[in-house]
Amino acid sequence: MILTDFNKIDTSLYTSNNVKIDCFEHKEESILVINITGKLEDGSAAANDCNYIREQIAIAIYKTTPIAIIIDIQDMQYQYGNSIINAFAPLYEIDLFDGDGFIYAFVLSDKNKYGLSSLWVFDIDSPREGIYYNFDKAMQYILERYEKI
């Protein structure tokens, strides 16, 4: 095989000293909770951390094949930058169920809602469906949709 027309790619995983990710699989239902804590740097300085988040979310999805996902970022600081869009891309890019997509919700806090409201275009006093400031409300949203399947 001749590979002179190809560049070798690095398949090692990203690492981060700024954010930590813990994943939890529901004991009975097909629900994955991804808890992200730490601080994202502003702007493009967060690119490596966001690549790390993206990989970890993708790995968790492939390992658990959930129907529903809660992304809990209440303890993650974020002010501004586009790199975070890449971090959550697996929610839209991974298709385990022939185009049906995942049921998902985000749990935000004062540490990130201002920056994300600007990027995701929502009113912080009345966020759209799927965006919550309380884990229990996000879980209620997930369970209501989950039971309709």
Side-chain angles (χ1 to χ4, degrees), residues 32-130:
L32 171 65
V33 174
I34 300 173
N35 181 267
I36 306 170
T37 59
K39 180 181 179 183
L40 289 181
E41 299 296 324
D42 296 335
S44 61
N48 186 72
D49 293 324
C50 289
N51 284 329
Y52 169 73
I53 293 168
R54 176 191 175 104
E55 285 182 342
Q56 295 302 304
I57 289 174
I59 290 168
I61 288 172
Y62 283 122
K63 284 185 92 167
T64 63
T65 61
I67 292 172
I69 303 169
I70 296 176
I71 306 284
D72 183 350
I73 55 174
Q74 293 178 87
D75 291 321
M76 184 191 79
Q77 293 181 15
Y78 164 82
Q79 291 184 313
Y80 70 88
N82 294 8
S83 297
I84 199 165
I85 294 170
N86 183 49
F88 301 125
L91 296 174
Y92 316 107
E93 294 175 348
I94 297 174
D95 182 8
L96 299 177
F97 306 108
D98 296 324
D100 288 337
F102 301 104
I103 303 166
Y104 62 88
F106 286 89
V107 186
L108 312 182
S109 72
D110 287 344
K111 294 180 179 183
N112 49 47
K113 70 181 180 182
Y114 299 102
L116 289 172
S117 69
S118 174
L119 186 65
W120 292 346
V121 189
F122 67 88
D123 179 351
I124 59 169
D125 295 323
S126 181
R128 67 177 175 262
E129 189 175 67

Side-chain angles (χ1 to χ4, degrees), residues 23-40:
C23 301
F24 304 90
E25 184 177 22
H26 194 281
K27 292 180 180 178
E28 296 174 13
E29 308 296 344
S30 182
I31 301 172
L32 171 65
V33 174
I34 300 173
N35 181 267
I36 306 170
T37 59
K39 180 181 179 183
L40 289 181

